[in-house]
Amino acid sequence: MGEDTAAAAPAAEPPGGGVTHEIVRPGNGVTRPRVGSLVTVHYVGTLRSSGKTFDTSRTAGKKPISFRIGEDQVIRGCEIGVLRMSLGERALLTIPSRLGYGDAGGGGGIVPPNADLVFDVELLEIEGRSVAAIGRYEAEVRKWATTKLDAFDADDKFRAKRLREHGTRDGYAAFLDAKVREKLSAVPMHKVGGA
């Protein structure tokens, strides 16, 4: 009875579980998938040790793949990496074995046991919406902000109220810019047209 039977706390896992994320080409920087999002990606999977390709969607005749994040349709390391990406981004995801195929290996022996992996991933769509569709929504949101700034410049009453709230024109412009970023980061997909 007097023994301390409490288990030691596990060592803290690095953010992202050890998956590294190197941006090859930036995306739009604001539209990101969440757990539960349906994403479409192009990918090339290689063995970290040799650089040998073991799977790809970029071969002639193949198409990008779609999967729902959090439903274990792809290896965990890919889910973790894609969650860090923004729409249109292309990144190299280095995935430790335990978040890949682990002790068992995979692909009918193509991926050996305990192999670390590198995936070249391009995030093409989130919930069926492409960079172009998001771009149209972004243009609408930015037009809204420009209209507000134009009203500030043209309407004395409007300007007086905004000066009380934000101090200067630059302060109001910064407020509008923050609102634009907020709207784009939330990306209400129902407001975005199709791909």
Side-chain angles (χ1 to χ4, degrees):
M1 294 282 299
E3 294 177 16
D4 183 7
T5 57
E13 184 152 311
V19 174
T20 62
H21 167 247
E22 178 187 337
I23 296 173
V24 174
R25 186 190 66 231
N28 71 359
V30 292
T31 310
R32 299 182 186 280
R34 298 183 173 124
V35 172
S37 294
L38 178 66
V39 296
T40 301
V41 301
H42 257 312
Y43 69 94
V44 177
T46 59
L47 301 175
R48 185 173 184 210
S49 61
S50 66
K52 179 182 175 189
T53 298
F54 62 86
D55 194 13
T56 180
S57 67
R58 293 192 177 270
T59 301
K62 286 190 135 185
K63 295 184 178 186
I65 65 162
S66 296
F67 62 93
R68 195 163 297 280
I69 296 176
E71 294 189 2
D72 298 324
Q73 297 171 337
V74 297
I75 60 172
R76 182 73 181 125
C78 281
E79 289 186 335
I80 290 168
V82 170
L83 281 168
R84 295 180 182 168
M85 297 174 70
S86 68
L87 189 62
E89 181 177 317
R90 187 168 181 175
L92 295 177
L93 308 177
T94 302
I95 301 170
S97 171
R98 65 188 167 72
L99 296 173
Y101 297 101
D103 294 340
I110 297 171
V111 177
N114 302 310
D116 293 338
L117 310 172
V118 177
F119 277 85
D120 177 342
V121 178
E122 181 179 11
L123 182 55
L124 302 171
E125 294 181 354
I126 301 172
E127 296 296 336
R129 305 306 192 254
S130 66
V131 173
I134 299 298
R136 289 189 296 273
Y137 177 70
E138 181 177 359
E140 290 175 24
V141 172
R142 292 198 185 281
K143 183 178 178 184
W144 165 84
T146 300
T147 301
K148 294 291 187 183
L149 209 50
D150 288 348
F152 180 96
D153 292 337
D155 184 328
D156 292 338
K157 209 170 175 182
F158 185 87
R159 181 174 42 257
K161 182 176 180 182
R162 298 308 174 258
L163 285 172
R164 283 192 302 275
E165 295 169 345
H166 305 286
T168 64
R169 184 183 192 283
D170 286 345
Y172 184 53
F175 166 78
L176 291 172
D177 188 52
K179 282 300 205 188
V180 166
R181 285 193 314 273
E182 178 184 315
K183 287 174 180 275
L184 293 176
S185 68
V187 185
M189 290 297 183
H190 66 279
K191 289 189 175 185
V192 179

